[in-house]
Amino acid sequence: MLITFEGIDGSGKSTQIALLKDKISSLGKTVQVFREPGGTELSEQIRSILLSKDSDIDPVTELLLFSSARSQLVSEKVLPALERGEVVILDRFYDSTTAYQGYGRESLSLDNIHHINEIASHNRAPDFTFYLRLSLKESNDRRANMSKDRMESSGDEFFHKVIKGFDDLAEKEKRFVIIEASKTIEEIHESIFKVISGKLD
C-alpha cells in the first residue's frame, strides 16, 4: 500500500506520519517512510540544491529537479518495498509538484505537469492521499519562529495559489482524504487510521 501526505508546511505531516508508522508497525506490518525530495543519496543531493537559498532556479528547472528526485526514489526504494508487500508512506509526492510548481510557480500547463508526474512516478499512483488542510495564517503562525528554506520563502501570494492547487486536487481525486489540520493531533491520527484500518491486508 502506498500512502502519501500532502499539505503546506506547518500542517503536521511529519507528526502524523510518525504516528501512523508506529500504529501500522504495531500490527506486524513493515512500514517504510520517505520524504520528498529525498530518500536516496541522489535525491537528497537534489533536495539540498532545491531548498538552498543560494540556488537561483528557473521554474521549469525546479519542476524537473523535483521530478528527477522522485523518479530515483520510486525506482530505488518505493517500488521494491511495495513489491515486498510493505507499506510505504511518503511525506509529499507528485501532488506537491502539481500544487507548488503548477499552481504556485505556473511553470508549465497542468496537462504537461500531469504527464511529467506519471513519468517520474513510474505510473504508480498512491492508494490514499491524506491532505492536511490548513489556512495560510495558521501555517505562518505555527512557523513564525522557524527559519525558512528557499521554497518556504516564496511569499503569501505563492502559497495562496498552492493551497488552491491542493483544494482543486482534493475535489478531483477520489484517493484524496481531506483532514482539517487545525484539529488535535489525536483527532487527526484517529481519522487517518480509521480510513485505512480495513485495508491493511
Side-chain angles (χ1 to χ4, degrees):
M1 179 184 294
L2 177 58
I3 302 168
T4 60
F5 280 74
E6 298 287 0
I8 59 174
D9 292 297
S11 59
K13 296 189 308 316
S14 298
T15 297
Q16 292 302 323
I17 287 171
L19 289 172
L20 184 60
K21 179 185 179 181
D22 288 346
K23 182 67 173 180
I24 297 175
S25 296
S26 73
L27 301 175
K29 303 287 185 181
T30 300
V31 185
Q32 302 284 349
V33 173
F34 305 106
R35 67 178 181 177
E36 276 221 4
T40 73
E41 183 177 353
L42 176 61
S43 300
E44 290 290 341
Q45 291 172 355
I46 295 173
R47 179 188 182 89
S48 67
I49 295 170
L50 282 164
L51 301 187
S52 172
K53 288 186 176 181
D54 295 330
S55 298
D56 183 13
I57 305 177
D58 174 81
V60 175
T61 305
E62 180 182 275
L63 184 153
L64 294 174
L65 283 171
F66 274 109
S67 299
S68 295
R70 175 171 306 121
S71 176
Q72 186 66 27
L73 174 63
V74 171
S75 175
E76 186 177 330
K77 297 291 183 69
V78 175
L79 291 180
L82 292 174
E83 288 170 4
R84 293 192 299 265
E86 299 171 0
V87 176
V88 177
I89 303 175
L90 297 181
D91 185 346
R92 299 196 181 283
F93 198 43
Y94 57 59
D95 296 306
S96 279
T97 294
T98 301
Y100 281 78
Q101 283 70 53
Y103 283 79
R105 298 281 194 234
E106 299 178 349
S107 55
L108 292 174
S109 72
L110 293 180
D111 284 343
N112 281 336
I113 291 175
H114 176 68
H115 185 54
I116 291 171
N117 285 343
E118 286 184 330
I119 294 170
S121 65
H122 297 245
N123 291 304
R124 184 55 164 91
D127 297 297
F128 294 98
T129 297
F130 292 102
Y131 168 34
L132 302 187
R133 185 163 63 184
L134 190 71
S135 70
L136 183 56
K137 181 183 184 305
E138 191 162 358
S139 171
N140 287 336
D141 289 346
R142 290 183 180 186
R143 300 181 301 113
N145 298 318
M146 299 172 63
S147 61
K148 296 182 179 180
D149 60 34
R150 189 184 68 85
M151 291 298 298
E152 293 167 342
S153 303
S154 298
D156 285 358
E157 182 181 354
F158 171 80
F159 281 104
H160 280 301
K161 293 177 182 178
V162 171
I163 291 171
K164 184 181 188 311
F166 281 129
D167 287 343
D168 285 356
L169 284 166
E171 287 185 8
K172 297 174 184 176
E173 299 286 349
K174 293 182 179 180
R175 60 183 164 80
F176 260 70
V177 179
I178 299 174
I179 304 288
E180 296 301 336
S182 57
K183 293 182 178 180
T184 68
I185 291 173
E186 293 77 13
E187 287 174 331
I188 294 172
H189 173 62
E190 289 175 5
S191 297
I192 290 170
F193 186 69
K194 185 177 180 180
V195 170
I196 67 166
S197 59
K199 309 294 184 181
L200 295 168
D201 298 327

